[in-house]
Amino acid sequence: MQDSISADAITQGLNTQFIGRRVVYYATIGSTNDVAKQLADAGEPEGTLVIADEQTAGRGRMARAWLAPARSSLLLSLILRPPLAPPQLPRATMAVALGACDAIRAETGLDAQLKWPNDVLLNDNPRKNRGAGKCAGILAEANIVGDRSEYVIVGLGVNVNFSARSVEGIPPDATTISDELGRSLPRAPLAQAILRTIESYYVRLKRGENLHDEWAARLVTLHESVRAQTPWGEEIGVAENVDEDGALLLRRADGTLVRLVAADVTLKRET
Ligand code: BT5
């Protein structure tokens, strides 16, 4: 299915307070995160959504590429201005990860879970030797001035209607909603569900609630042996816990604990 997305299709009947009330749509753009950043710098309010049918320079973390065939996916960025100090900004990303995970679950009936830091996996079942399938990823980029954050752009890419195997450069552990469902899904209603669910979590965060426990409860890699690529080399250990600000606490074989922050780390299950 190559359905169409438009600003109207997203805003009609959305009924949110501020998330996605204003939508900036592109048929093709470099990266929605870059546009959102420019808008935020120009004073655009919290909640504005930038969404594209195709990205020519879609990014993951650490300058990795995010690939998606035209009109196959959700490629969007939200401008958030959370009342959080810079070390706490991952809490805003938690709201987006929770919103995406729960909405994908509700809209598809698939077993969506999170993988630290912010991937959404579908039908993960290591015990059945079924590889974890990454169907969505999040890229959060903050503008920090002194000791406060001006805004954070949270970019979300969701693989919806294409076969992950058919796209060169997408790794074998990736999946899509249509791969798992066996049919395609209209994208605009899915986008609306994601935006509504993100808002319900984000509003709670703004009221001072902590989303940590709900977020941690959806993480598949907790308590498992993992291998982490860090800026100082590889760390191997057991993913013992995640702290209030989303950092992973890894127990090394020698008993020491190391704290890993999302921005710099890639994580793999030990096989
Ligand atoms: C992420 O990075 O998972 C964050 C992806 C964020 C993409 C959105 S789309 C809208 C917004 N605008 C942007 O420019 N970006 C955001 P990371 O954890 O670093 O994962 C990146 C890695 O995932 C790549 O190195 C590939 O190996 C793999 N990858 C690329 N495309 C993929 C896809 N469609 N599905 C699954 N994995 C993919």
Side-chain angles (χ1 to χ4, degrees), residues 25 57 63 72-73 100 176 201 213 215 250:
Y25 165 83
S72 71
S73 297
T176 71
Y201 279 111
D213 292 357
W215 177 72
L250 192 80

Side-chain angles (χ1 to χ4, degrees), residues 30-34 50 55 57-69 73-77 117-119 133-141 153-159 162 164 167 169-171 173-176 265-266:
S31 159
T32 55
N33 263 39
D34 291 342
V50 180
Q55 291 185 131
R59 283 182 278 120
R61 295 175 305 134
M62 290 164 275
R64 295 189 290 236
W66 186 260
L67 304 168
S73 297
L74 292 179
L75 306 165
L76 59 90
S77 301
N118 291 306
D119 295 347
K134 173 169 173 174
C135 87
I138 292 177
L139 172 68
E141 296 178 306
I153 305 301
V154 189
L156 170 70
V158 185
N159 300 335
F162 67 99
V167 182
I170 292 188
D173 64 356
T175 193
T176 71
V265 179
T266 65

Side-chain angles (χ1 to χ4, degrees), residues 90-91 94-95 98 114 116 201 204-205 208-219 222 240-249:
R91 297 179 187 202
M94 280 180 203
L98 278 164
L114 299 175
W116 187 88
Y201 279 111
R204 289 175 48 206
L205 181 79
E209 282 183 48
N210 195 329
L211 306 174
H212 169 272
D213 292 357
E214 288 152 275
W215 177 72
R218 286 162 183 71
L219 288 177
L222 264 195
E240 194 163 288
N241 216 337
V242 278
D243 72 16
E244 298 291 288
D245 294 326
L248 181 69
L249 305 174

